[in-house]
Amino acid sequence: MNAKQIVRLSNIIGITSILLLVYWVFTFIVIQVFGLKVFRENMTESFYFSILGILALMTGSLIVNLMFNLTRIAERNNEDAVNAKSNRRKFITLLLIFPLILIILFGGDYLTSSKKEKMLIDSAKSIVESNKSNSDKLLNYAFSKSYIKETTGILRVLSETDKNFPGVTLIVKDSIKDSPVFLGFNAFYNEALDNDTIQPQKINYIYQTTKEERIYLNEVFDKNNDKLRYSSDKGSYELFYPYKKNGKTIIIYFSEQQRYGKLGS
């Protein structure tokens, strides 16, 4: 391989590395800005390390060019003779890769969310149906120490049953001074309640909601709506699972935080 061929090869490697770096950085920025969860953990880490590999290729090709000093004015003249139409096509092709990357990233994030939705719903149904007796006990809501303690124990069992649900909360509708509120009970029990002199206060169990969530919760408790509500945002997945029986209604809320996507090996 002569010097001219070496320079040509190093130029190809350098230009390819620059393009890959631009696309890689663009992909990284889109993932970070929009909080997309596309690839599994090992693929995500490999993606980050590949940027270092690209930088190494760029540095190597630059060193080769400097060592052989083969950038010649005559070759530039030959390059100027390249068909302009062909150059435009190449430029347009390179630009079209950007929207293609966006389609892949947002499509991957959507598939990750869809997989998570199916997994959460299937797991929720399995957990509730396999723990019928405990689930029925949750329906007998009454704001008292005994109910809170029993509910905490049941929710702890539910949260430990399936690794897909690190967070489980029971939501009920009640009132404080004639104002309707939603109360939430989780798997963490306040042992101070075992002291007879300490009485639980409803205000300490108020479940904070958004406007959209309140609309949904009111429809479940007041309008006999029994539809599930699933949502995802930047790796945060949540499922509201209504459970109704004998005219009584509760909602079991499942949540999960996920750093990586579901696509890939």
Side-chain angles (χ1 to χ4, degrees):
M1 183 177 290
N2 57 39
K4 183 177 180 180
Q5 291 174 325
I6 292 176
V7 167
R8 184 178 180 184
L9 178 60
S10 63
N11 284 338
I12 292 174
I13 294 175
I15 293 173
T16 302
S17 299
I18 292 172
L19 291 174
L20 286 176
L21 183 62
V22 171
Y23 294 137
W24 253 234
V25 171
F26 175 74
T27 301
F28 176 80
I29 292 174
V30 172
I31 289 176
Q32 294 301 314
V33 171
F34 294 97
L36 304 180
K37 306 299 175 185
V38 183
F39 305 112
R40 291 183 183 274
E41 180 177 359
N42 55 344
M43 290 191 67
T44 302
E45 292 177 348
S46 298
F47 169 78
Y48 295 151
F49 280 117
S50 67
I51 294 180
L52 296 177
I54 293 173
L55 290 174
L57 283 176
M58 290 176 59
T59 303
S61 63
L62 177 61
I63 292 174
V64 170
N65 271 283
L66 291 176
M67 288 176 61
F68 286 88
N69 192 22
L70 296 172
T71 304
R72 300 177 304 174
I73 297 177
E75 290 178 340
R76 290 180 182 175
N77 293 334
N78 290 334
E79 291 175 2
D80 291 338
V82 176
N83 188 280
K85 185 176 181 181
S86 177
N87 285 337
R88 283 198 300 270
R89 287 180 178 176
K90 291 179 181 179
F91 181 71
I92 293 174
T93 300
L94 293 175
L95 288 181
L96 289 177
I97 293 178
F98 287 103
L100 178 62
I101 291 174
L102 290 177
I103 292 173
I104 293 174
L105 293 179
F106 282 95
D109 184 71
Y110 173 78
L111 291 176
T112 294
S113 179
S114 298
K115 283 187 176 183
K116 177 59 64 177
E117 178 180 10
K118 185 178 184 303
M119 188 190 321
L120 290 179
I121 293 176
D122 290 344
S123 297
K125 290 180 179 179
S126 175
I127 289 175
V128 172
E129 291 176 1
S130 62
N131 293 273
K132 275 287 186 181
S133 59
N134 285 334
S135 299
D136 291 343
K137 290 179 182 178
L138 297 177
L139 287 167
N140 300 318
Y141 168 69
F143 191 79
S144 62
K145 285 184 179 181
S146 59
Y147 179 83
I148 294 175
K149 188 170 186 177
E150 183 176 37
T151 297
T152 299
I154 294 173
L155 294 180
R156 188 173 300 168
V157 172
L158 295 180
S159 62
E160 295 294 333
T161 300
D162 195 313
K163 65 179 181 180
N164 293 319
F165 296 104
V168 182
T169 302
L170 173 70
I171 302 176
V172 299
K173 188 170 185 179
D174 205 327
S175 63
I176 297 178
K177 296 181 180 180
D178 297 327
S179 297
V181 294
F182 298 106
L183 304 183
F185 304 94
N186 54 38
F188 301 98
Y189 178 67
N190 183 6
E191 295 182 355
L193 292 177
D194 291 333
N195 189 329
D196 292 336
T197 61
I198 298 178
Q199 296 299 320
Q201 301 294 319
K202 290 182 180 179
I203 194 171
N204 295 327
Y205 294 88
I206 291 179
Y207 179 78
Q208 294 182 332
T209 59
T210 63
K211 179 182 178 181
E212 292 75 15
E213 289 174 343
R214 287 193 296 274
I215 292 174
Y216 167 77
L217 293 174
N218 281 320
E219 289 179 348
V220 172
F221 285 106
D222 300 334
K223 300 181 181 180
N224 203 34
N225 179 16
D226 59 356
K227 292 184 178 180
L228 307 180
R229 184 180 190 272
Y230 169 81
S231 62
S232 63
D233 180 45
K234 296 182 178 180
S236 177
Y237 306 92
E238 55 183 17
L239 174 68
F240 292 85
Y241 187 91
Y243 185 64
K244 298 173 180 285
K245 190 174 182 179
N246 299 328
K248 300 177 180 179
T249 302
I250 59 172
I251 293 179
I252 303 177
Y253 168 77
F254 302 96
S255 63
E256 180 185 8
Q257 291 287 337
Q258 182 172 296
R259 292 182 59 192
Y260 302 98
K262 290 292 183 181
L263 304 183
S265 57

PDB file of all heavy atoms in Angstrom, residues 20-21 23-29 31-32 39-54 101 105:
ATOM      1  N   LEU A  20     -20.044   9.742  12.266  1.00  0.00           N
ATOM      2  CA  LEU A  20     -20.567   8.890  13.339  1.00  0.00           C
ATOM      3  C   LEU A  20     -20.629   9.660  14.659  1.00  0.00           C
ATOM      4  O   LEU A  20     -21.592   9.532  15.413  1.00  0.00           O
ATOM      5  CB  LEU A  20     -19.681   7.645  13.502  1.00  0.00           C
ATOM      6  CG  LEU A  20     -19.817   6.567  12.426  1.00  0.00           C
ATOM      7  CD1 LEU A  20     -18.815   5.451  12.676  1.00  0.00           C
ATOM      8  CD2 LEU A  20     -21.235   6.012  12.391  1.00  0.00           C
ATOM      9  N   LEU A  21     -19.595  10.470  14.924  1.00  0.00           N
ATOM     10  CA  LEU A  21     -19.574  11.241  16.162  1.00  0.00           C
ATOM     11  C   LEU A  21     -20.731  12.242  16.199  1.00  0.00           C
ATOM     12  O   LEU A  21     -21.377  12.418  17.233  1.00  0.00           O
ATOM     13  CB  LEU A  21     -18.238  11.980  16.298  1.00  0.00           C
ATOM     14  CG  LEU A  21     -18.049  12.769  17.597  1.00  0.00           C
ATOM     15  CD1 LEU A  21     -18.084  11.833  18.800  1.00  0.00           C
ATOM     16  CD2 LEU A  21     -16.735  13.550  17.569  1.00  0.00           C
ATOM     17  N   TYR A  23     -23.634  11.971  14.622  1.00  0.00           N
ATOM     18  CA  TYR A  23     -24.878  11.223  14.827  1.00  0.00           C
ATOM     19  C   TYR A  23     -24.968  10.695  16.260  1.00  0.00           C
ATOM     20  O   TYR A  23     -26.041  10.703  16.867  1.00  0.00           O
ATOM     21  CB  TYR A  23     -24.963  10.063  13.837  1.00  0.00           C
ATOM     22  CG  TYR A  23     -25.077  10.497  12.389  1.00  0.00           C
ATOM     23  CD1 TYR A  23     -24.349   9.869  11.388  1.00  0.00           C
ATOM     24  CD2 TYR A  23     -25.912  11.549  12.023  1.00  0.00           C
ATOM     25  CE1 TYR A  23     -24.446  10.268  10.059  1.00  0.00           C
ATOM     26  CE2 TYR A  23     -26.018  11.961  10.705  1.00  0.00           C
ATOM     27  CZ  TYR A  23     -25.279  11.316   9.726  1.00  0.00           C
ATOM     28  OH  TYR A  23     -25.384  11.717   8.414  1.00  0.00           O
ATOM     29  N   TRP A  24     -23.830  10.241  16.782  1.00  0.00           N
ATOM     30  CA  TRP A  24     -23.831   9.700  18.156  1.00  0.00           C
ATOM     31  C   TRP A  24     -24.169  10.805  19.167  1.00  0.00           C
ATOM     32  O   TRP A  24     -24.939  10.600  20.080  1.00  0.00           O
ATOM     33  CB  TRP A  24     -22.454   9.104  18.461  1.00  0.00           C
ATOM     34  CG  TRP A  24     -22.403   7.601  18.489  1.00  0.00           C
ATOM     35  CD1 TRP A  24     -21.938   6.816  19.499  1.00  0.00           C
ATOM     36  CD2 TRP A  24     -22.820   6.700  17.453  1.00  0.00           C
ATOM     37  NE1 TRP A  24     -22.048   5.478  19.153  1.00  0.00           N
ATOM     38  CE2 TRP A  24     -22.575   5.384  17.905  1.00  0.00           C
ATOM     39  CE3 TRP A  24     -23.360   6.873  16.188  1.00  0.00           C
ATOM     40  CZ2 TRP A  24     -22.878   4.255  17.142  1.00  0.00           C
ATOM     41  CZ3 TRP A  24     -23.663   5.755  15.433  1.00  0.00           C
ATOM     42  CH2 TRP A  24     -23.426   4.480  15.910  1.00  0.00           C
ATOM     43  N   VAL A  25     -23.544  11.971  19.008  1.00  0.00           N
ATOM     44  CA  VAL A  25     -23.812  13.088  19.920  1.00  0.00           C
ATOM     45  C   VAL A  25     -25.264  13.539  19.784  1.00  0.00           C
ATOM     46  O   VAL A  25     -25.933  13.832  20.772  1.00  0.00           O
ATOM     47  CB  VAL A  25     -22.846  14.266  19.635  1.00  0.00           C
ATOM     48  CG1 VAL A  25     -23.264  15.508  20.428  1.00  0.00           C
ATOM     49  CG2 VAL A  25     -21.413  13.876  19.994  1.00  0.00           C
ATOM     50  N   PHE A  26     -25.769  13.595  18.559  1.00  0.00           N
ATOM     51  CA  PHE A  26     -27.168  13.961  18.333  1.00  0.00           C
ATOM     52  C   PHE A  26     -28.091  12.972  19.040  1.00  0.00           C
ATOM     53  O   PHE A  26     -29.057  13.366  19.715  1.00  0.00           O
ATOM     54  CB  PHE A  26     -27.458  13.973  16.836  1.00  0.00           C
ATOM     55  CG  PHE A  26     -28.895  14.223  16.482  1.00  0.00           C
ATOM     56  CD1 PHE A  26     -29.457  15.484  16.595  1.00  0.00           C
ATOM     57  CD2 PHE A  26     -29.705  13.171  16.038  1.00  0.00           C
ATOM     58  CE1 PHE A  26     -30.782  15.706  16.274  1.00  0.00           C
ATOM     59  CE2 PHE A  26     -31.029  13.387  15.716  1.00  0.00           C
ATOM     60  CZ  PHE A  26     -31.576  14.660  15.837  1.00  0.00           C
ATOM     61  N   THR A  27     -27.778  11.682  18.903  1.00  0.00           N
ATOM     62  CA  THR A  27     -28.578  10.651  19.558  1.00  0.00           C
ATOM     63  C   THR A  27     -28.534  10.801  21.072  1.00  0.00           C
ATOM     64  O   THR A  27     -29.566  10.722  21.749  1.00  0.00           O
ATOM     65  CB  THR A  27     -28.056   9.246  19.169  1.00  0.00           C
ATOM     66  OG1 THR A  27     -28.135   9.094  17.754  1.00  0.00           O
ATOM     67  CG2 THR A  27     -28.880   8.154  19.842  1.00  0.00           C
ATOM     68  N   PHE A  28     -27.344  11.040  21.612  1.00  0.00           N
ATOM     69  CA  PHE A  28     -27.184  11.202  23.058  1.00  0.00           C
ATOM     70  C   PHE A  28     -27.992  12.396  23.568  1.00  0.00           C
ATOM     71  O   PHE A  28     -28.661  12.313  24.604  1.00  0.00           O
ATOM     72  CB  PHE A  28     -25.700  11.381  23.389  1.00  0.00           C
ATOM     73  CG  PHE A  28     -25.419  11.647  24.837  1.00  0.00           C
ATOM     74  CD1 PHE A  28     -25.388  10.611  25.759  1.00  0.00           C
ATOM     75  CD2 PHE A  28     -25.188  12.937  25.282  1.00  0.00           C
ATOM     76  CE1 PHE A  28     -25.131  10.857  27.099  1.00  0.00           C
ATOM     77  CE2 PHE A  28     -24.937  13.196  26.615  1.00  0.00           C
ATOM     78  CZ  PHE A  28     -24.904  12.154  27.522  1.00  0.00           C
ATOM     79  N   ILE A  29     -27.928  13.516  22.846  1.00  0.00           N
ATOM     80  CA  ILE A  29     -28.652  14.723  23.260  1.00  0.00           C
ATOM     81  C   ILE A  29     -30.162  14.469  23.266  1.00  0.00           C
ATOM     82  O   ILE A  29     -30.867  14.842  24.205  1.00  0.00           O
ATOM     83  CB  ILE A  29     -28.305  15.909  22.337  1.00  0.00           C
ATOM     84  CG1 ILE A  29     -26.851  16.325  22.548  1.00  0.00           C
ATOM     85  CG2 ILE A  29     -29.236  17.092  22.611  1.00  0.00           C
ATOM     86  CD1 ILE A  29     -26.370  17.394  21.577  1.00  0.00           C
ATOM     87  N   ILE A  31     -31.745  11.598  23.574  1.00  0.00           N
ATOM     88  CA  ILE A  31     -32.089  10.673  24.666  1.00  0.00           C
ATOM     89  C   ILE A  31     -32.126  11.408  25.995  1.00  0.00           C
ATOM     90  O   ILE A  31     -33.044  11.214  26.803  1.00  0.00           O
ATOM     91  CB  ILE A  31     -31.068   9.509  24.720  1.00  0.00           C
ATOM     92  CG1 ILE A  31     -31.264   8.575  23.518  1.00  0.00           C
ATOM     93  CG2 ILE A  31     -31.224   8.714  26.018  1.00  0.00           C
ATOM     94  CD1 ILE A  31     -30.246   7.468  23.434  1.00  0.00           C
ATOM     95  N   GLN A  32     -31.136  12.273  26.234  1.00  0.00           N
ATOM     96  CA  GLN A  32     -31.067  12.971  27.515  1.00  0.00           C
ATOM     97  C   GLN A  32     -32.142  14.039  27.653  1.00  0.00           C
ATOM     98  O   GLN A  32     -32.756  14.181  28.712  1.00  0.00           O
ATOM     99  CB  GLN A  32     -29.674  13.606  27.693  1.00  0.00           C
ATOM    100  CG  GLN A  32     -28.542  12.599  27.807  1.00  0.00           C
ATOM    101  CD  GLN A  32     -28.729  11.650  28.975  1.00  0.00           C
ATOM    102  OE1 GLN A  32     -29.053  12.053  30.079  1.00  0.00           O
ATOM    103  NE2 GLN A  32     -28.521  10.361  28.717  1.00  0.00           N
ATOM    104  N   PHE A  39     -32.742   1.441  24.916  1.00  0.00           N
ATOM    105  CA  PHE A  39     -31.914   0.237  24.915  1.00  0.00           C
ATOM    106  C   PHE A  39     -31.745  -0.325  26.326  1.00  0.00           C
ATOM    107  O   PHE A  39     -31.842   0.388  27.311  1.00  0.00           O
ATOM    108  CB  PHE A  39     -30.534   0.543  24.327  1.00  0.00           C
ATOM    109  CG  PHE A  39     -30.595   1.159  22.965  1.00  0.00           C
ATOM    110  CD1 PHE A  39     -30.202   2.470  22.765  1.00  0.00           C
ATOM    111  CD2 PHE A  39     -31.049   0.426  21.881  1.00  0.00           C
ATOM    112  CE1 PHE A  39     -30.254   3.043  21.504  1.00  0.00           C
ATOM    113  CE2 PHE A  39     -31.115   0.989  20.619  1.00  0.00           C
ATOM    114  CZ  PHE A  39     -30.710   2.298  20.433  1.00  0.00           C
ATOM    115  N   ARG A  40     -31.442  -1.597  26.369  1.00  0.00           N
ATOM    116  CA  ARG A  40     -31.135  -2.234  27.641  1.00  0.00           C
ATOM    117  C   ARG A  40     -29.821  -1.693  28.197  1.00  0.00           C
ATOM    118  O   ARG A  40     -29.049  -1.034  27.493  1.00  0.00           O
ATOM    119  CB  ARG A  40     -31.043  -3.761  27.477  1.00  0.00           C
ATOM    120  CG  ARG A  40     -32.394  -4.416  27.170  1.00  0.00           C
ATOM    121  CD  ARG A  40     -32.241  -5.917  27.090  1.00  0.00           C
ATOM    122  NE  ARG A  40     -33.482  -6.575  26.737  1.00  0.00           N
ATOM    123  CZ  ARG A  40     -34.418  -6.935  27.608  1.00  0.00           C
ATOM    124  NH1 ARG A  40     -34.233  -6.705  28.894  1.00  0.00           N
ATOM    125  NH2 ARG A  40     -35.520  -7.524  27.209  1.00  0.00           N
ATOM    126  N   GLU A  41     -29.549  -2.024  29.472  1.00  0.00           N
ATOM    127  CA  GLU A  41     -28.404  -1.440  30.165  1.00  0.00           C
ATOM    128  C   GLU A  41     -27.090  -1.699  29.439  1.00  0.00           C
ATOM    129  O   GLU A  41     -26.293  -0.793  29.226  1.00  0.00           O
ATOM    130  CB  GLU A  41     -28.322  -2.000  31.585  1.00  0.00           C
ATOM    131  CG  GLU A  41     -27.160  -1.439  32.386  1.00  0.00           C
ATOM    132  CD  GLU A  41     -27.143  -1.946  33.810  1.00  0.00           C
ATOM    133  OE1 GLU A  41     -28.055  -2.716  34.178  1.00  0.00           O
ATOM    134  OE2 GLU A  41     -26.222  -1.576  34.559  1.00  0.00           O
ATOM    135  N   ASN A  42     -26.839  -2.960  29.029  1.00  0.00           N
ATOM    136  CA  ASN A  42     -25.556  -3.273  28.401  1.00  0.00           C
ATOM    137  C   ASN A  42     -25.388  -2.549  27.070  1.00  0.00           C
ATOM    138  O   ASN A  42     -24.290  -2.114  26.718  1.00  0.00           O
ATOM    139  CB  ASN A  42     -25.403  -4.784  28.204  1.00  0.00           C
ATOM    140  CG  ASN A  42     -26.547  -5.396  27.427  1.00  0.00           C
ATOM    141  OD1 ASN A  42     -27.602  -4.788  27.263  1.00  0.00           O
ATOM    142  ND2 ASN A  42     -26.353  -6.599  26.944  1.00  0.00           N
ATOM    143  N   MET A  43     -26.477  -2.390  26.301  1.00  0.00           N
ATOM    144  CA  MET A  43     -26.395  -1.683  25.026  1.00  0.00           C
ATOM    145  C   MET A  43     -26.202  -0.189  25.246  1.00  0.00           C
ATOM    146  O   MET A  43     -25.485   0.484  24.496  1.00  0.00           O
ATOM    147  CB  MET A  43     -27.649  -1.936  24.192  1.00  0.00           C
ATOM    148  CG  MET A  43     -27.767  -3.347  23.654  1.00  0.00           C
ATOM    149  SD  MET A  43     -29.081  -3.511  22.435  1.00  0.00           S
ATOM    150  CE  MET A  43     -28.447  -2.513  21.097  1.00  0.00           C
ATOM    151  N   THR A  44     -26.834   0.364  26.277  1.00  0.00           N
ATOM    152  CA  THR A  44     -26.690   1.786  26.572  1.00  0.00           C
ATOM    153  C   THR A  44     -25.255   2.109  26.958  1.00  0.00           C
ATOM    154  O   THR A  44     -24.666   3.089  26.484  1.00  0.00           O
ATOM    155  CB  THR A  44     -27.637   2.187  27.719  1.00  0.00           C
ATOM    156  OG1 THR A  44     -28.986   1.874  27.347  1.00  0.00           O
ATOM    157  CG2 THR A  44     -27.545   3.684  28.002  1.00  0.00           C
ATOM    158  N   GLU A  45     -24.668   1.292  27.818  1.00  0.00           N
ATOM    159  CA  GLU A  45     -23.283   1.519  28.227  1.00  0.00           C
ATOM    160  C   GLU A  45     -22.336   1.344  27.031  1.00  0.00           C
ATOM    161  O   GLU A  45     -21.370   2.094  26.891  1.00  0.00           O
ATOM    162  CB  GLU A  45     -22.921   0.558  29.345  1.00  0.00           C
ATOM    163  CG  GLU A  45     -23.678   0.864  30.649  1.00  0.00           C
ATOM    164  CD  GLU A  45     -23.373  -0.151  31.731  1.00  0.00           C
ATOM    165  OE1 GLU A  45     -22.778  -1.194  31.417  1.00  0.00           O
ATOM    166  OE2 GLU A  45     -23.725   0.125  32.892  1.00  0.00           O
ATOM    167  N   SER A  46     -22.599   0.351  26.179  1.00  0.00           N
ATOM    168  CA  SER A  46     -21.769   0.136  24.983  1.00  0.00           C
ATOM    169  C   SER A  46     -21.845   1.342  24.061  1.00  0.00           C
ATOM    170  O   SER A  46     -20.855   1.735  23.427  1.00  0.00           O
ATOM    171  CB  SER A  46     -22.226  -1.120  24.232  1.00  0.00           C
ATOM    172  OG  SER A  46     -22.069  -2.260  25.038  1.00  0.00           O
ATOM    173  N   PHE A  47     -23.031   1.933  23.971  1.00  0.00           N
ATOM    174  CA  PHE A  47     -23.220   3.122  23.143  1.00  0.00           C
ATOM    175  C   PHE A  47     -22.334   4.268  23.631  1.00  0.00           C
ATOM    176  O   PHE A  47     -21.659   4.943  22.848  1.00  0.00           O
ATOM    177  CB  PHE A  47     -24.692   3.534  23.175  1.00  0.00           C
ATOM    178  CG  PHE A  47     -24.959   4.884  22.578  1.00  0.00           C
ATOM    179  CD1 PHE A  47     -25.013   5.056  21.215  1.00  0.00           C
ATOM    180  CD2 PHE A  47     -25.159   5.989  23.398  1.00  0.00           C
ATOM    181  CE1 PHE A  47     -25.260   6.304  20.668  1.00  0.00           C
ATOM    182  CE2 PHE A  47     -25.403   7.235  22.861  1.00  0.00           C
ATOM    183  CZ  PHE A  47     -25.455   7.384  21.491  1.00  0.00           C
ATOM    184  N   TYR A  48     -22.286   4.484  24.938  1.00  0.00           N
ATOM    185  CA  TYR A  48     -21.463   5.552  25.485  1.00  0.00           C
ATOM    186  C   TYR A  48     -19.978   5.285  25.244  1.00  0.00           C
ATOM    187  O   TYR A  48     -19.217   6.186  24.884  1.00  0.00           O
ATOM    188  CB  TYR A  48     -21.736   5.711  26.987  1.00  0.00           C
ATOM    189  CG  TYR A  48     -23.139   6.167  27.304  1.00  0.00           C
ATOM    190  CD1 TYR A  48     -23.768   5.826  28.491  1.00  0.00           C
ATOM    191  CD2 TYR A  48     -23.848   6.958  26.391  1.00  0.00           C
ATOM    192  CE1 TYR A  48     -25.053   6.249  28.779  1.00  0.00           C
ATOM    193  CE2 TYR A  48     -25.136   7.384  26.667  1.00  0.00           C
ATOM    194  CZ  TYR A  48     -25.739   7.029  27.859  1.00  0.00           C
ATOM    195  OH  TYR A  48     -27.009   7.448  28.138  1.00  0.00           O
ATOM    196  N   PHE A  49     -19.552   4.047  25.450  1.00  0.00           N
ATOM    197  CA  PHE A  49     -18.143   3.718  25.248  1.00  0.00           C
ATOM    198  C   PHE A  49     -17.746   3.809  23.773  1.00  0.00           C
ATOM    199  O   PHE A  49     -16.581   4.055  23.447  1.00  0.00           O
ATOM    200  CB  PHE A  49     -17.847   2.310  25.774  1.00  0.00           C
ATOM    201  CG  PHE A  49     -17.658   2.259  27.265  1.00  0.00           C
ATOM    202  CD1 PHE A  49     -18.524   1.540  28.066  1.00  0.00           C
ATOM    203  CD2 PHE A  49     -16.602   2.938  27.870  1.00  0.00           C
ATOM    204  CE1 PHE A  49     -18.352   1.501  29.432  1.00  0.00           C
ATOM    205  CE2 PHE A  49     -16.418   2.899  29.240  1.00  0.00           C
ATOM    206  CZ  PHE A  49     -17.298   2.181  30.031  1.00  0.00           C
ATOM    207  N   SER A  50     -18.712   3.599  22.878  1.00  0.00           N
ATOM    208  CA  SER A  50     -18.389   3.663  21.449  1.00  0.00           C
ATOM    209  C   SER A  50     -17.962   5.065  21.047  1.00  0.00           C
ATOM    210  O   SER A  50     -17.215   5.232  20.070  1.00  0.00           O
ATOM    211  CB  SER A  50     -19.603   3.224  20.618  1.00  0.00           C
ATOM    212  OG  SER A  50     -20.670   4.151  20.747  1.00  0.00           O
ATOM    213  N   ILE A  51     -18.421   6.082  21.768  1.00  0.00           N
ATOM    214  CA  ILE A  51     -18.002   7.456  21.474  1.00  0.00           C
ATOM    215  C   ILE A  51     -16.497   7.590  21.669  1.00  0.00           C
ATOM    216  O   ILE A  51     -15.801   8.237  20.872  1.00  0.00           O
ATOM    217  CB  ILE A  51     -18.757   8.455  22.375  1.00  0.00           C
ATOM    218  CG1 ILE A  51     -20.254   8.454  22.023  1.00  0.00           C
ATOM    219  CG2 ILE A  51     -18.191   9.859  22.233  1.00  0.00           C
ATOM    220  CD1 ILE A  51     -21.081   9.388  22.855  1.00  0.00           C
ATOM    221  N   LEU A  52     -15.968   6.955  22.718  1.00  0.00           N
ATOM    222  CA  LEU A  52     -14.519   6.989  22.933  1.00  0.00           C
ATOM    223  C   LEU A  52     -13.793   6.299  21.789  1.00  0.00           C
ATOM    224  O   LEU A  52     -12.728   6.749  21.346  1.00  0.00           O
ATOM    225  CB  LEU A  52     -14.187   6.308  24.272  1.00  0.00           C
ATOM    226  CG  LEU A  52     -14.749   6.983  25.531  1.00  0.00           C
ATOM    227  CD1 LEU A  52     -14.393   6.158  26.770  1.00  0.00           C
ATOM    228  CD2 LEU A  52     -14.213   8.400  25.669  1.00  0.00           C
ATOM    229  N   GLY A  53     -14.369   5.196  21.302  1.00  0.00           N
ATOM    230  CA  GLY A  53     -13.764   4.492  20.172  1.00  0.00           C
ATOM    231  C   GLY A  53     -13.725   5.357  18.927  1.00  0.00           C
ATOM    232  O   GLY A  53     -12.730   5.357  18.181  1.00  0.00           O
ATOM    233  N   ILE A  54     -14.797   6.094  18.677  1.00  0.00           N
ATOM    234  CA  ILE A  54     -14.853   6.979  17.503  1.00  0.00           C
ATOM    235  C   ILE A  54     -13.803   8.083  17.620  1.00  0.00           C
ATOM    236  O   ILE A  54     -13.108   8.418  16.649  1.00  0.00           O
ATOM    237  CB  ILE A  54     -16.261   7.585  17.355  1.00  0.00           C
ATOM    238  CG1 ILE A  54     -17.266   6.482  17.013  1.00  0.00           C
ATOM    239  CG2 ILE A  54     -16.271   8.671  16.284  1.00  0.00           C
ATOM    240  CD1 ILE A  54     -18.700   6.957  17.017  1.00  0.00           C
ATOM    241  N   ILE A 101     -32.870   8.759  12.776  1.00  0.00           N
ATOM    242  CA  ILE A 101     -32.455   8.518  14.161  1.00  0.00           C
ATOM    243  C   ILE A 101     -33.585   8.856  15.126  1.00  0.00           C
ATOM    244  O   ILE A 101     -33.862   8.117  16.092  1.00  0.00           O
ATOM    245  CB  ILE A 101     -31.191   9.347  14.495  1.00  0.00           C
ATOM    246  CG1 ILE A 101     -29.990   8.809  13.727  1.00  0.00           C
ATOM    247  CG2 ILE A 101     -30.909   9.319  15.994  1.00  0.00           C
ATOM    248  CD1 ILE A 101     -28.731   9.645  13.889  1.00  0.00           C
ATOM    249  N   LEU A 105     -35.331   6.328  17.780  1.00  0.00           N
ATOM    250  CA  LEU A 105     -35.285   6.589  19.220  1.00  0.00           C
ATOM    251  C   LEU A 105     -36.683   6.682  19.827  1.00  0.00           C
ATOM    252  O   LEU A 105     -36.978   6.050  20.852  1.00  0.00           O
ATOM    253  CB  LEU A 105     -34.504   7.874  19.499  1.00  0.00           C
ATOM    254  CG  LEU A 105     -33.000   7.842  19.175  1.00  0.00           C
ATOM    255  CD1 LEU A 105     -32.367   9.185  19.476  1.00  0.00           C
ATOM    256  CD2 LEU A 105     -32.318   6.746  19.978  1.00  0.00           C
TER     257      LEU A 105
END
